[in-house]
Amino acid sequence: MLVFKIAWRNILRHKGKSIIIGSILFLGALIMTLGNATAIGMQKGVEENIVRGFTGHIILVSDQETKDNVLFTPMAKPLKILRDYDRISALLRQQDYVKDFIPMTRGGVAILGGSGMNFMLTFGCNFDDFQRVFGNPVEAVEGQLLTNGDHGLLVNEKSRQNQHKMQGYWLVPAGYELNRDNLSKEARSELPGLPQRSDLALGGFGEPNSTDLTLPIRAITRFKSLNNLMQEISIMDIESFRQIFGYYTAADVVQELPPEQEALLASGEEDLFGSADIFSSGSSSTVAELEKTIHAAPRPSAKINYDNAAYNYVSVLLKPGEDLGAAVARTRELMKGNGLPVKVLSWKQASGQVAQISDILRVVINVFVILLFFVAVIIIMNTLSMTAMERTEEFGMMRAVGARKGFITRMFLSETLTLSAIFGGAGILIGALVAWIFHPLGISSGESEILELLFGGEVFQPTLGVGGVVGGVAALGVVTLLAVLYPLFVARRITPLDAINRH
Amino acid sequence: MNVIELENVKKDYPLGATTVHALRGVSLAIKEGDFISIVGPSGSGKTTLLNIIGCIDNATEGSVKIHGKEVTTHSDRRLTDLRLHTIGFIFQTFNLIPVLSARENVEFPLLLMKKENLTNKEIRRRAEKLLEEVGLKEQMSQKPFELSGGQRQRVAIARALVTKPAIVLADEPTANLDSETGEMILKQMKELNLLEKTTFVFSTHDPDILKYANGVLKIKDGLMAS
């Protein structure tokens, strides 16, 4: 109590210095809190829009993959086939930390029939599942989104504009009229003779077994968030993708014949034609029955299970609140423990530069805040050291009448921590208030891709949870302690004799 | 019984390339209840001697005993505790904590040793009683900057006595006071000396105050003159 009384009165007595130190602490805490809110907001934006909207938290690929950056590789080098998806999916379904998952394919396709090199990054999936798992991240601008069993391509509206610039034609969904409202300025200037196409001939890029396939364009689409960032991504149905890249398709699997046909195929010629009965009876009943059996057999398409064929990777979404690092470790253990040939990657590893740029920008903010605090520590340290020297007589007299060094320590710390709590606390409070006010309003990234990436979406919402505030208080405490260490050392070394000599 | 014993105490100070020999081998013994004055010209070593007796400076050589115990080997913590419990200081000029009132300044040493048994009420009562005794009943709540030089010195005396120390050291206690106030303070010190058997050792230039002392130690050039 005595310590706090003296500390508080000293703060009031040395108003000038208190205000200097307090102002630095206030500004530091304010900027740190806003920086924190920005970083957390960005993190949340990335989490919401990139992770929960496209990549998932964890990516499972073949253990044959040598590189981690499997999703957004610039040249879209083909991925290896992921084996044993049925076992992988069975295991994932049993995990309490897994919210959902979806198997996908990814590859670069060459758009045939145009001029020059013309590539497109495509993802193959069961689109209904894709929309369900990722919360409908894709919307149709024109045409109709894929549904189960549809074959076709979804082209991003930005990609369509690029195709027009490079190849001169304007893509229109098959069966739909040209929508003049969505034309780019350049395309509009070419009316009425604007060349149009409703399908694209595609060839798998970098895969020796690939074949060419002409796919109808089902819709022109956009991602609801981060469309600028993901404008080069087109989506096609999983079977078309498999066909283009020469993968084993689900339809191939379904070519399993009914037992009667299997038996027929298994029969030797002698069994079929060597028997006199066939010819001697003169009856055609056996052949007729056989034909009847064949026609009565279910059509293969009705039995297609898309999961029975090739995939490149599995995106896994975690339940809210799950720790990514821990979940990756658990999944690795799970796959390894079950002998599955799987490489487990976090979304950051799998997203390469996309995640790195966002991280780098966040690091820049953090470095700025750290530099700011470093400067603050130096200024506060200097001011407090001067204060300690100026108070030599006071400290020396206290020591002379029996105050231990510990008392001086407590008194000095109390003064600085009180200043820090009042001014730094005000900085955190006001920073939190600003974040709270701007959160619902949001800050638009405009058309800037960099800002969109930085924000993790089109709109940035500064966010500061309890963790952010606690982190801010902890950082402020660390800064205060760092700043007070040397002045405290100076104050503790003051002896009664120093006070006498000084006088 | 000797409460203070010094034997061949030397104190050297480095001063640039040279060394100042402030004390050149001082030996003395002061008994309980003594009222001793140390006199000597400026620079003779009076303050250094008081500082060494008061355990706020270390002897370069020699032995210093308080209540028969050698203190030159004590740690900083033990010396601090010795000052708190055994010695009261009255400094010449710097003396009070500027942010505390007169009463709070007097309470300060007691609050440092609070854990020993006194309640806050008892501490306050004792501080107020001492302030009354030095004639500052009306100024108890005033801060040092609101007090005159003499009043501040009296607060310092009250503070020096509040722990009932065995020894009170005063470095020129009346140097900054008018003669009337100085006289009054010395009378109070003498009264306490007689009542409490407190040992007083003070340095002074003023021959008028020597009449209160029952012993005078003369020091010159760092040596006891007689």
Side-chain angles (χ1 to χ4, degrees):
Chain A
M1 194 62 200
L2 174 68
V3 167
F4 284 109
K5 187 195 284 182
I6 297 174
W8 178 245
R9 291 184 188 175
N10 267 319
I11 287 171
L12 296 178
R13 183 168 176 245
H14 304 284
K15 283 194 190 75
K17 286 192 183 71
S18 299
I19 287 171
I20 290 172
I21 295 169
S23 302
I24 295 165
L25 285 167
F26 173 80
L27 277 177
L30 179 69
I31 293 170
M32 179 194 66
T33 307
L34 291 176
N36 240 345
T38 307
I40 294 171
M42 288 186 325
Q43 188 84 37
K44 208 174 166 193
V46 167
E47 169 89 7
E48 287 296 319
N49 297 319
I50 297 182
V51 178
R52 291 199 179 272
F54 189 76
T55 64
H57 295 94
I58 297 175
I59 316 295
L60 308 183
V61 290
S62 163
D63 63 355
Q64 301 297 308
E65 291 295 344
T66 52
K67 291 186 176 170
D68 291 349
N69 178 13
V70 292
L71 291 184
F72 302 112
T73 318
M75 288 304 288
K77 193 182 165 197
L79 299 178
K80 303 284 189 295
I81 300 281
L82 179 67
R83 308 279 173 200
D84 292 322
Y85 173 69
D86 51 344
R87 286 178 62 205
I88 294 169
S89 61
L91 283 171
L92 288 175
R93 264 184 218 104
Q94 294 165 11
Q95 305 313 309
D96 55 359
Y97 59 95
V98 172
K99 184 189 170 202
D100 212 339
F101 59 92
I102 179 171
M104 304 268 292
T105 53
R106 192 236 62 185
V109 292
I111 301 173
L112 308 173
S115 59
M117 301 283 275
N118 192 8
F119 291 102
M120 190 185 265
L121 180 62
T122 57
F123 288 78
C125 60
N126 182 337
F127 191 72
D128 284 340
D129 291 345
F130 178 85
Q131 290 286 79
R132 174 183 55 77
V133 169
F134 291 118
N136 299 309
V138 176
E139 61 186 5
V141 178
E142 291 171 32
Q144 197 161 4
L145 295 174
L146 294 166
T147 54
N148 265 355
D150 279 352
H151 290 279
L153 187 65
L154 304 178
V155 178
N156 193 285
E157 59 178 353
K158 299 273 182 183
S159 186
R160 171 166 74 171
Q161 288 177 13
N162 292 339
Q163 283 299 315
H164 175 250
K165 280 178 193 164
M166 289 188 295
Q167 305 296 332
Y169 50 76
W170 188 255
L171 297 173
V172 177
Y176 284 81
E177 294 291 318
L178 175 73
N179 185 333
R180 291 170 181 256
D181 294 339
N182 293 335
L183 289 175
S184 66
K185 198 194 285 181
E186 294 84 357
R188 186 168 288 122
S189 69
E190 292 176 33
L191 287 173
L194 175 69
Q196 297 174 35
R197 286 187 68 169
S198 292
D199 55 33
L200 288 174
L202 305 172
F205 179 67
E207 189 63 65
N209 296 328
S210 65
T211 54
D212 301 346
L213 185 70
T214 299
L215 274 182
I217 296 177
R218 295 292 178 197
I220 302 299
T221 59
R222 67 184 313 278
F223 283 91
K224 288 176 188 168
S225 291
L226 294 169
N227 194 51
N228 280 321
L229 182 71
M230 300 203 272
Q231 59 177 275
E232 295 303 329
I233 293 174
S234 294
I235 297 173
M236 66 175 72
D237 66 281
I238 185 68
E239 285 288 84
S240 297
F241 188 102
R242 286 166 177 161
Q243 269 186 276
I244 290 172
F245 282 87
Y247 293 169
Y248 196 57
T249 66
D252 293 335
V253 177
V254 175
Q255 295 310 319
E256 293 168 4
L257 299 174
E260 297 82 354
Q261 293 180 37
E262 288 282 2
L264 198 60
L265 283 174
S267 307
E269 261 184 44
E270 280 300 310
D271 295 334
L272 286 173
F273 308 113
S275 165
D277 291 348
I278 297 174
F279 303 102
S280 60
S281 67
S283 166
S284 61
S285 62
T286 308
V287 174
E289 279 170 17
L290 189 61
E291 282 181 345
K292 195 177 168 186
T293 308
I294 291 168
H295 290 300
R299 291 179 65 80
S301 59
K303 287 178 71 181
I304 285 179
N305 177 354
Y306 293 106
D307 289 349
N308 280 349
Y311 287 114
N312 291 135
Y313 71 93
V314 180
S315 280
V316 181
L317 274 169
L318 301 178
K319 285 181 179 166
E322 291 292 342
D323 179 70
L324 177 61
V328 168
R330 282 179 70 180
T331 311
R332 275 193 191 129
E333 281 299 308
L334 183 70
M335 296 300 149
K336 194 178 168 189
N338 285 278
L340 287 163
V342 173
K343 185 176 185 180
V344 180
L345 302 167
S346 72
W347 73 271
K348 284 189 178 178
Q349 290 172 304
S351 303
Q353 286 179 330
V354 171
Q356 284 166 10
I357 290 170
S358 174
D359 274 351
I360 287 167
L361 291 169
R362 269 196 297 279
V363 166
V364 167
I365 289 178
N366 287 336
V367 166
F368 174 73
V369 170
I370 288 168
L371 276 178
L372 186 88
F373 267 124
F374 181 73
V375 174
V377 164
I378 298 291
I379 297 173
I380 294 169
M381 191 186 288
N382 192 38
T383 313
L384 285 175
S385 298
M386 281 168 58
T387 304
M389 299 294 280
E390 284 170 10
R391 292 168 66 185
T392 296
E393 288 183 19
E394 181 186 340
F395 293 153
M397 186 278 301
M398 286 177 173
R399 298 277 285 123
V401 298
R404 289 179 183 170
K405 284 182 177 175
F407 180 85
I408 303 294
T409 303
R410 287 198 300 278
M411 191 181 76
F412 209 79
L413 274 180
S414 298
E415 284 182 34
T416 316
L417 290 176
T418 304
L419 274 178
S420 179
I422 294 170
F423 287 91
I428 290 174
L429 201 68
I430 291 175
L433 199 67
V434 170
W436 181 72
I437 289 168
F438 275 91
H439 179 81
L441 299 176
I443 300 165
S444 171
S445 64
E447 285 294 307
S448 165
E449 288 176 34
I450 292 291
L451 277 182
E452 194 174 294
L453 185 58
L454 176 63
F455 291 176
E458 280 80 6
V459 177
F460 166 63
Q461 293 179 300
T463 308
L464 194 72
V466 175
V469 174
V470 170
V473 171
L476 184 67
V478 169
V479 165
T480 308
L481 287 177
L482 283 178
V484 84
L485 275 180
Y486 179 71
L488 189 59
F489 173 73
V490 171
R492 278 172 61 93
R493 285 186 63 187
I494 292 171
T495 64
L497 203 60
D498 292 328
I500 293 168
N501 291 339
R502 188 182 173 97
H503 194 77
Chain B
M1 182 195 171
N2 291 333
V3 288
I4 302 165
E5 286 174 82
L6 271 63
E7 199 176 319
N8 196 29
V9 169
K10 294 179 183 172
K11 180 66 186 178
D12 299 334
Y13 292 112
L15 188 70
T18 60
T19 302
V20 174
H21 303 287
L23 297 177
R24 294 159 182 265
V26 172
S27 297
L28 58 83
I30 296 170
K31 288 190 176 62
E32 187 182 7
D34 275 354
F35 199 89
I36 301 293
S37 170
I38 300 172
V39 294
S42 289
S44 58
K46 298 190 295 294
T47 301
T48 304
L49 183 59
L50 277 177
N51 289 344
I52 287 175
I53 294 171
C55 303
I56 58 178
D57 199 357
N58 303 315
T60 310
E61 216 179 299
S63 162
V64 180
K65 289 180 180 169
I66 305 290
H67 283 137
K69 285 185 183 167
E70 183 64 50
V71 297
T72 50
T73 53
H74 278 11
S75 65
D76 178 78
R77 193 186 176 101
R78 279 190 74 182
L79 289 174
T80 305
D81 289 348
L82 183 71
R83 290 197 295 269
L84 178 63
H85 294 97
T86 311
I87 303 169
F89 283 97
I90 304 165
F91 296 103
Q92 191 176 338
T93 45
F94 76 97
N95 43 28
L96 302 178
I97 300 170
V99 294
L100 297 182
S101 68
R103 180 178 51 76
E104 289 166 338
N105 263 286
V106 177
E107 289 173 353
F108 183 73
L110 285 177
L111 290 169
L112 290 176
M113 53 197 289
K114 185 182 169 184
K115 58 186 173 188
E116 298 206 349
N117 51 29
L118 292 171
T119 64
N120 281 344
K121 266 187 181 174
E122 287 167 327
I123 289 171
R124 174 175 282 218
R125 201 175 302 131
R126 199 192 282 188
E128 286 175 351
K129 184 169 174 279
L130 272 167
L131 282 168
E132 277 181 43
E133 284 173 11
V134 295
L136 292 174
K137 190 180 176 184
E138 305 301 320
Q139 286 80 24
M140 282 184 195
S141 303
Q142 292 184 353
K143 298 273 172 59
F145 69 90
E146 297 170 309
L147 300 170
S148 69
Q151 288 171 328
R152 272 185 243 172
Q153 199 70 319
R154 278 185 276 165
V155 174
I157 291 167
R159 187 189 60 199
L161 300 171
V162 76
T163 57
K164 296 186 177 170
I167 303 162
V168 173
L169 304 174
D171 188 11
E172 309 237 15
T174 57
N176 297 318
L177 306 177
D178 59 78
S179 57
E180 195 181 333
T181 311
E183 184 88 10
M184 187 181 77
I185 283 174
L186 276 165
K187 276 184 184 169
Q188 285 173 342
M189 287 165 66
K190 187 66 186 174
E191 271 177 40
L192 289 165
N193 166 247
L194 295 171
L195 284 172
E196 306 280 347
K197 293 261 183 214
T198 306
T199 304
F200 277 82
V201 182
F202 58 94
S203 67
T204 183
H205 278 109
D206 188 352
D208 286 346
I209 64 172
L210 292 178
K211 62 188 175 192
Y212 293 97
N214 59 4
V216 176
L217 299 172
K218 290 182 182 170
I219 188 166
K220 191 178 179 186
D221 296 330
L223 288 167
M224 302 310 294
S226 64

